[in-house]
Amino acid sequence: MLKRISIILLSFLFVLNESCNKSQTPVIPPVTPPNSVFNYGDSIFYKKNQSNDYVISPTNTLAGKYASFPDGLVLDGNSGAVNVSKSESGLKYMIAFIPDGKADTLLSFITISGINYKDGFYKLNDGDSIAFSIYNAIPGVAIPGIGSGSLFDVGSSCNDQGCNVNVNNGTINLAQTVRNGVFGSTPSNNDRHEFEMTYQLNDGSNISTNKLKVKLYYFETMNDVTPEADSIISSRQGSIIGPGNIVPAAFAFNNAQIKPRPPCIFIVGH
């Protein structure tokens, strides 16, 4: 049954991608839209400072199989229960459910609140030297609590290692990070470093502690970019699901779950 969910979703994603490439109206296989039958009572859930795991379940007890996209959601495939505490935050997830004895797929969307960064190439010579944090998987949405409780790089783990994080708004100054010597006095192509940022947001999480790993790569020019880097970017297109994006189209290319974490930032010096 779980395999059937994957096949249905893969078919949907493949058709959607092919249709978009041909500038035609996508032909979508029968999928029951989100409704009152299958939902989690809300669309956004926040990490909590508590000793036991924070787990949510569908509002209705439904027998069947569950699956989710992209990768990062800790989901019980039999009950639909989601472990918010252990799931990757800052991402919007699609949860699919096929009831026992039924062929239709029910869909529900939930966001685990937090921040993320867009995967991509940041060209320092073009002034593209700042990586902006994205809140709740919607680019351009203001992060709550800026100047009133929200803090980034709590404990200074990133800054102490040279990764220049603005503690007030979460932006990463990539040019300053390079000048700080993260990639050495003479950066080498395809050098990479991973940092873990602890942050707190004055939102529905009530300043609970959250964490995010960020991976930085360095290339001198675009001609030095490796096929691996191009592949990472291609596979992650659409992994931040915002308004107007039903599903991540890149999933169809890979025939596997999108793995949007850690965000991969490719710095291009010239």
Side-chain angles (χ1 to χ4, degrees):
M1 189 69 72
L2 185 59
K3 183 177 181 180
R4 187 198 304 173
I5 296 178
S6 298
I7 293 173
I8 290 173
L9 289 171
L10 280 170
S11 299
F12 172 42
L13 292 166
F14 178 78
V15 171
L16 177 61
N17 180 68
E18 287 299 302
S19 300
C20 290
N21 284 342
K22 298 176 182 178
S23 300
Q24 298 176 350
T25 302
V27 179
I28 302 174
V31 177
T32 303
N35 55 49
S36 59
V37 175
F38 174 47
N39 65 80
Y40 286 80
D42 206 341
S43 58
I44 300 178
F45 296 89
Y46 301 85
K47 300 279 187 175
K48 295 183 177 181
N49 280 333
Q50 57 185 48
S51 56
N52 56 313
D53 286 348
Y54 173 35
V55 178
I56 61 172
S57 297
T59 55
N60 296 316
T61 301
L62 304 170
K65 293 296 181 182
Y66 301 79
S68 64
F69 303 92
D71 190 35
L73 193 71
V74 179
L75 172 74
D76 187 311
N78 295 313
S79 70
V82 173
N83 189 319
V84 176
S85 300
K86 293 181 178 177
S87 296
E88 297 283 3
S89 57
L91 296 172
K92 184 175 182 179
Y93 298 94
M94 176 178 67
I95 303 176
F97 169 68
I98 295 182
D100 286 344
K102 301 287 185 179
D104 290 340
T105 302
L106 305 180
L107 300 179
S108 187
F109 294 85
I110 66 170
T111 298
I112 306 299
S113 183
I115 65 168
N116 196 9
Y117 292 90
K118 184 179 179 180
D119 301 284
F121 298 105
Y122 293 75
K123 301 176 183 178
L124 301 187
N125 267 14
D126 293 341
D128 189 17
S129 61
I130 302 294
F132 294 91
S133 51
I134 299 171
Y135 178 65
N136 283 2
I138 306 177
V141 170
I143 298 176
I146 298 298
S148 60
S150 292
L151 294 173
F152 302 86
D153 197 26
V154 177
S156 197
S157 174
C158 294
N159 279 290
D160 285 351
Q161 298 179 71
C163 181
N164 188 267
V165 176
N166 186 311
V167 299
N168 297 309
N169 60 26
T171 59
I172 303 176
N173 188 321
L174 303 175
Q176 186 59 52
T177 296
V178 174
R179 289 193 292 268
N180 287 345
V182 165
F183 301 99
S185 56
T186 304
S188 300
N189 282 319
N190 206 21
D191 191 9
R192 60 192 73 180
H193 296 271
E194 187 171 281
F195 303 90
E196 183 173 69
M197 181 199 305
T198 299
Y199 66 95
Q200 298 171 325
L201 299 179
N202 189 8
D203 58 3
S205 67
N206 296 316
I207 315 184
S208 295
T209 299
N210 210 329
K211 293 180 182 293
L212 170 66
K213 290 182 178 179
V214 180
K215 198 164 189 176
L216 306 182
Y217 294 71
Y218 182 87
F219 293 99
E220 187 65 20
T221 70
M222 286 300 297
N223 291 332
D224 297 312
V225 172
T226 62
E228 176 200 18
D230 282 326
S231 176
I232 290 173
I233 296 300
S234 296
S235 68
R236 294 188 177 198
Q237 293 299 314
S239 63
I240 298 176
I241 307 177
N245 297 316
I246 302 301
V247 288
F251 184 82
F253 296 136
N254 298 330
N255 198 30
Q257 289 200 32
I258 293 175
K259 299 182 183 298
R261 291 297 177 86
C264 292
I265 295 173
F266 297 90
I267 302 171
V268 180
H270 299 91

